[in-house]
Amino acid sequence: MENKMLAAIIAKGLSLPSGAVANTLALIDEGCTIPFIARYRKERTGGLDEVKIAAISEQYDKLKEMVKRKETITKTIAEQQKLTPELEHRINECWDANELEDIYLPFKPKRRTRAQVARELGLEPLATLLLMQRERDPEQAAEKYVKGDVKDAAQALKGAQDIIAENVSEDERSRQQIRSAFRREAIITSKVVKAKAETDEAAKYSDYFDWQEPLRRCSSHRLLAMRRGEAEGILRISISANDDDCIERLKRHYVYGNTPCGKLVGEAVEDGFKRLLKPSIETEFAAMSKEKADEDAIRVFAENLRQLLLGAPLGPKRVMGIDPGFRTGCKVVCLDAQGNLLHHEAIFPHPPVNRRMQASVHVQQMLADYHIEAIAIGNGTASRETKTFIEDVLHSLPTTQGAQQEVRLFVVSEDGASVYSASKVARDEFPDEDVTVRGAVSIGRRLMDPLAELVKIDPKSIGVGQYQHDVDQTKLKRQLDMTVESCVNAVGVNLNTASSHLLQYVSGLGPTLARNIVDFRRENGPFTSRAQLKKVPRLGPAAFEQCAGFLRIPEARNPLDNSAVHPESYQVVERMARDLGCAVADLIKQKELRSQIKLEKYVTDSIGLPTLTDIMKELEKPGRDPRQQIEEFEFAKGIETIDDLTEGMELPGIVTNITNFGAFVDIGVHQDGLVHISQLADKFVKDPNEVVKLHQHVMVRVLEIDRRRNRISLSMRGL
């Protein structure tokens, strides 16, 4: 019954069919992963995609937490013997977190407040008397309460006001009234801490030294920047509505006239607002605005990560990876088509060592010895100079080595390579090599298959985030893990070559089963069928169901084992082949055979047209890689530092990061330029992702160069 109710709430909130949501929740409860549900259970979900299923899952988790919170609240109030049937009904029917806490607030165990002290002194009846506002002489009425620790009428009245102030701050209607005012008109204000204003670390926050704007219009990146400045002790941030208006609204509810009692109640209302209610609502809105900013930043980061992970792969080629450098030289590695390290050495073609001729001879020798087909150069220090050097080497190859002139040259992002090279993952892979070799291997492998290599690195270190260290780290990790899992399963994984780090993101696996698969492969040789997965220790029927469709075996006896067709659907494909008097392999090879299939004939209780349609697409291109083809790129010649730039120049660039406020573009001068969202296109742009994608090749115009702050403003308008 509870799940049915939760499904209805989620369906209404997300504007989705309640039946599809209920079925999705049932699949989640059965342990199915989001990629599996989206790909193989379309009949049950009505074809919901991963984004909608993830949203359902997220809401489900929140509602389950709220159910637990309600149980705690109900139990606490019951222990106080204050739980009435009406109150219990209100709690059960409430699904708004703020409203639920408002209901609970008067019963919530709290520290010994001023109001609590006054109650212990027996002043609550006096507070009630004042609120009724019928006494002509409140001081005389207060005399009755002068006893024990209450020394005089003034103290009694002050204690009664404290009780009223707390009651006002805990009253649901009062809280909703002030919350509504904050929602409409809250202003966020940022001021610099005067003692820090002239410091170097404060300079980057100079835009926010004296800043204010409506909270509802404050973008996520500005709010996170201000909050970071606050955390570093440089800024002071406050959120407030119009105090006088808020107090006036409350007084209209509590104060009945210009009487002595009314005056005392008015003072208590004002105190309750300033001392208790306003700080509480400000804290609430600070948390809400931070949560919304976090969600925006996490969404931007996740989208950037998705684009990065799904970057175009070169594929299994023999690659030379180069981690460029000046003083320490360039670390060069040679890899086979599977990414195994064959050779490494350091060359010194640049100042201060300047062994350019020797380096050229060594590179030529490596190209020949290891039959290199492509070269990957990291995009960090000395990247442009190293690329020019390698181009010269390739152009100077003797005609007898003409085949070598077909070597393709790429510059790849080396963000996170140093993190990988010092990680346990890298030490396990290359225990006998130093960090420079490991970093160069990572650069080379990124060219071959970005996804397989980047999954080894903490996503926060990949360099495509927006305030990733300032957002809720639990939510960030959850979203990034989901993004990695989504990308890995969208592409599919070669069961016989994938590392355990890649396998652990396959639907239904995880670190332990991924290691078990690699160990089984090492002991028994390559897998020849998906069915062999059932022999892997601890990989039971449930895990097999979840993972099998996302694992590929290129040389399998059954061609379906190298496709996204799930083993549970093999029978229907085999039946199609039997009906046409051919083999499954013939169905894959011959379009004319597939065109004869009438899908309606194969619909069953468990397999509907959505699954059958997916099967036909897969038979057309089994195991197809959804990623685009890789493209080579060339920076503008002669433009190598910020001093080479002039306003108005039009240059080629690569998009390196996308934020809510625009896109950063590498134009080859060791400092990315910003294309503000207003300069991305000749039309209004709401989301930069509508116009640009990560690592997209673009043309930009230089608008402004701030050499003091090392900032470059760019435009894509009119290009």
Side-chain angles (χ1 to χ4, degrees):
M1 181 64 187
E2 183 180 280
N3 263 22
K4 189 174 180 182
M5 180 174 59
L6 298 185
I9 294 168
I10 294 169
K12 184 178 180 182
L14 298 177
S15 301
L16 294 172
S18 56
V21 173
N23 286 341
T24 301
L25 296 187
L27 289 165
I28 290 170
D29 285 341
E30 290 168 18
C32 297
T33 67
I34 291 172
F36 177 83
I37 295 170
R39 182 69 176 81
Y40 296 113
R41 292 295 178 263
K42 291 181 178 177
E43 284 80 1
R44 290 184 64 179
T45 68
L48 296 179
D49 61 23
E50 280 194 23
V51 175
K52 291 187 176 70
I53 295 168
I56 290 170
S57 177
E58 183 179 352
Q59 291 303 311
Y60 190 34
D61 289 341
K62 285 182 179 178
L63 290 178
K64 284 192 291 186
E65 285 301 313
M66 194 175 290
V67 168
K68 290 180 185 175
R69 180 65 176 155
K70 287 183 182 188
E71 290 170 355
T72 301
I73 288 172
T74 303
K75 182 181 176 184
T76 304
I77 298 174
E79 287 171 351
Q80 298 172 21
Q81 298 184 335
K82 295 178 181 177
L83 185 65
T84 64
E86 293 77 18
L87 183 56
E88 186 172 15
H89 178 74
R90 282 200 67 201
I91 292 169
N92 289 337
E93 292 299 308
C94 179
W95 293 101
D96 179 277
N98 287 330
E99 186 182 338
L100 181 64
E101 294 303 323
D102 284 352
I103 294 170
Y104 179 45
L105 191 56
F107 309 96
K108 191 174 185 177
K110 51 180 77 76
R111 59 185 175 80
R112 202 157 175 267
T113 62
R114 281 161 47 175
Q116 187 61 30
V117 172
R119 290 188 185 99
E120 291 169 5
L121 293 173
L123 297 174
E124 191 147 27
L126 179 59
T128 304
L129 202 66
L130 291 181
L131 278 170
M132 293 172 67
Q133 299 173 49
R134 294 175 184 169
E135 290 291 328
R136 293 182 178 179
D137 190 345
E139 288 193 17
Q140 185 178 344
E143 291 290 346
K144 299 176 188 176
Y145 299 90
V146 177
K147 54 188 173 183
D149 290 338
V150 181
K151 305 303 182 187
D152 52 33
Q155 185 184 346
L157 289 172
K158 186 68 182 73
Q161 284 183 304
D162 287 340
I163 293 172
I164 293 170
E166 185 170 279
N167 287 347
V168 168
S169 75
E170 293 182 349
D171 178 71
E172 281 184 63
R173 189 158 66 169
S174 298
R175 295 183 70 80
Q176 288 291 6
Q177 211 169 30
I178 303 308
R179 192 176 283 130
S180 177
F182 266 69
R183 201 174 288 122
R184 287 193 312 272
E185 58 196 48
I187 300 292
I188 183 168
T189 302
S190 171
K191 300 282 186 184
V192 67
V193 175
K194 289 183 180 178
K196 297 288 185 73
E198 302 301 323
T199 61
D200 290 341
E201 60 265 27
K204 59 185 174 182
Y205 298 109
S206 57
D207 290 345
Y208 304 107
F209 281 6
D210 187 13
W211 175 272
Q212 70 173 36
E213 66 177 312
L215 180 62
R216 66 178 185 275
R217 292 183 190 161
C218 184
S219 66
S220 65
H221 63 272
R222 286 201 298 274
L223 191 136
L224 290 172
M226 285 187 267
R227 289 298 181 194
R228 181 187 285 180
E230 182 182 45
E232 292 177 7
I234 293 165
L235 303 176
R236 285 200 182 96
I237 312 299
S238 63
I239 298 172
S240 63
N242 186 306
D243 286 5
D244 293 339
D245 285 353
C246 289
I247 292 167
E248 190 58 39
R249 285 192 187 97
L250 292 173
K251 283 183 176 179
R252 282 200 293 268
H253 175 60
Y254 286 99
V255 181
Y256 304 146
N258 189 22
T259 64
C261 280
K263 183 181 178 186
L264 291 170
V265 171
E267 290 172 357
V269 168
E270 187 167 345
D271 174 54
F273 170 76
K274 290 182 176 178
R275 182 169 55 86
L276 301 170
L277 184 49
K278 180 187 174 183
S280 174
I281 299 298
E282 179 178 353
T283 299
E284 187 180 295
F285 271 75
M288 283 169 52
S289 59
K290 173 65 164 57
E291 184 177 3
K292 184 178 180 299
D294 282 3
E295 287 173 0
D296 278 354
I298 290 170
R299 177 186 55 79
V300 169
F301 195 161
E303 180 56 33
N304 280 349
L305 178 62
R306 177 181 296 278
Q307 292 178 29
L308 188 65
L309 293 175
L310 294 179
L314 181 64
K317 304 286 185 184
R318 294 182 296 277
V319 168
M320 176 183 287
I322 304 177
D323 186 358
F326 288 114
R327 182 181 57 80
T328 56
C330 302
K331 183 60 71 173
V332 184
V333 298
C334 297
L335 310 174
D336 67 17
Q338 283 69 49
N340 298 310
L341 177 62
L342 303 175
H343 173 78
H344 67 82
E345 64 178 86
I347 58 173
F348 297 85
H350 309 308
V353 180
N354 266 331
R355 295 179 189 160
R356 192 176 180 89
M357 183 60 69
Q358 183 190 70
S360 178
V361 171
H362 281 230
V363 170
Q364 289 186 44
Q365 193 63 50
M366 285 185 276
L367 290 172
D369 289 350
Y370 300 102
H371 309 287
I372 297 300
E373 298 171 275
I375 300 173
I377 300 172
N379 67 343
T381 304
S383 176
R384 291 288 301 273
E385 294 80 358
T386 302
K387 183 171 183 285
T388 300
F389 163 71
I390 292 296
E391 285 172 339
D392 290 345
V393 172
L394 293 176
H395 288 142
S396 68
L397 289 174
T399 52
T400 54
Q401 288 181 258
Q404 297 294 349
Q405 292 175 7
E406 299 303 317
V407 173
R408 300 175 71 187
L409 182 57
F410 300 89
V411 175
V412 301
S413 169
E414 60 179 48
D415 284 328
S418 59
V419 174
Y420 160 78
S421 62
S423 69
K424 183 179 183 301
V425 175
R427 292 196 300 274
D428 289 345
E429 282 195 279
F430 302 103
D432 301 324
E433 308 297 348
D434 66 23
V435 292
T436 60
V437 174
R438 297 171 191 158
V441 170
S442 181
I443 289 167
R445 286 177 173 177
R446 287 182 192 201
L447 176 62
M448 299 163 73
D449 189 342
L451 179 60
E453 192 60 22
L454 291 172
V455 294
K456 301 173 185 176
I457 303 170
D458 179 355
K460 287 186 293 184
S461 302
I462 294 178
V464 293
Q466 179 188 356
Y467 297 102
Q468 62 264 39
H469 299 288
D470 300 295
V471 303
D472 184 307
Q473 295 301 295
T474 302
K475 288 182 180 178
L476 176 64
K477 185 179 187 310
R478 182 175 186 266
Q479 185 61 55
L480 297 186
D481 283 348
M482 282 175 56
T483 301
V484 176
E485 181 183 39
S486 172
C487 293
V488 169
N489 289 288
V491 171
V493 171
N494 186 326
L495 184 54
N496 284 325
T497 60
S499 67
S500 63
H501 314 288
L502 184 58
L503 285 167
Q504 73 182 31
Y505 287 103
V506 172
S507 168
L509 293 184
T512 301
L513 288 178
R515 282 194 300 271
N516 290 355
I517 287 173
V518 172
D519 291 343
F520 183 89
R521 193 171 70 198
R522 189 182 301 115
E523 293 167 12
N524 300 280
F527 286 87
T528 57
S529 73
R530 281 171 170 167
Q532 275 184 286
L533 281 164
K534 296 175 181 177
K535 297 179 181 178
V536 173
R538 299 179 66 181
L539 202 155
F544 178 81
E545 178 187 60
Q546 295 295 307
C547 76
F550 301 104
L551 296 168
R552 309 279 186 269
I553 307 174
E555 306 303 323
R557 289 188 293 268
N558 185 340
L560 295 178
D561 281 347
N562 191 36
S563 75
V565 177
H566 197 282
E568 66 188 9
S569 299
Y570 282 9
Q571 287 184 336
V572 72
V573 180
E574 290 161 359
R575 186 181 152 206
M576 290 173 179
R578 281 198 309 273
D579 290 349
L580 291 171
C582 68
V584 170
D586 297 325
L587 272 185
I588 293 171
K589 293 173 186 172
Q590 300 180 39
K591 182 179 178 181
E592 56 273 17
L593 284 175
R594 295 195 301 274
S595 66
Q596 298 175 40
I597 296 172
K598 306 296 182 201
L599 293 185
E600 295 78 8
K601 178 181 175 182
Y602 300 96
V603 173
T604 67
D605 291 340
S606 58
I607 298 181
L609 283 175
T611 295
L612 291 169
T613 302
D614 283 348
I615 288 172
M616 294 307 294
K617 288 178 183 175
E618 198 58 29
L619 292 177
E620 182 181 348
K621 292 182 179 178
R624 66 192 182 283
D625 193 323
R627 295 174 289 183
Q628 295 180 342
Q629 293 293 310
I630 196 167
E631 297 177 357
E632 295 176 53
F633 176 82
E634 191 78 37
F635 285 118
K637 298 288 186 186
I639 308 297
E640 297 186 0
T641 72
I642 195 169
D643 292 326
D644 296 326
L645 297 177
T646 57
E647 292 179 6
M649 272 186 174
E650 294 183 3
L651 304 166
I654 300 175
V655 178
T656 57
N657 201 357
I658 302 172
T659 69
N660 278 339
F661 53 87
F664 288 93
V665 177
D666 182 0
I667 53 175
V669 296
H670 308 294
Q671 174 60 49
D672 291 354
L674 172 65
V675 183
H676 188 267
I677 191 169
S678 62
Q679 296 293 327
L680 281 171
D682 294 323
K683 59 179 183 179
F684 172 75
V685 177
K686 184 178 180 182
D687 179 359
N689 280 291
E690 296 171 359
V691 180
V692 289
K693 298 299 178 188
L694 208 61
H695 290 180
Q696 181 179 337
H697 299 171
V698 295
M699 287 296 296
V700 295
R701 182 186 302 108
V702 179
L703 287 183
E704 187 179 348
I705 309 153
D706 184 341
R707 290 183 170 83
R708 184 180 65 83
R709 294 199 293 177
N710 210 29
R711 290 183 179 179
I712 306 164
S713 297
L714 305 171
S715 175
M716 288 170 52
R717 297 181 65 172
L719 296 175

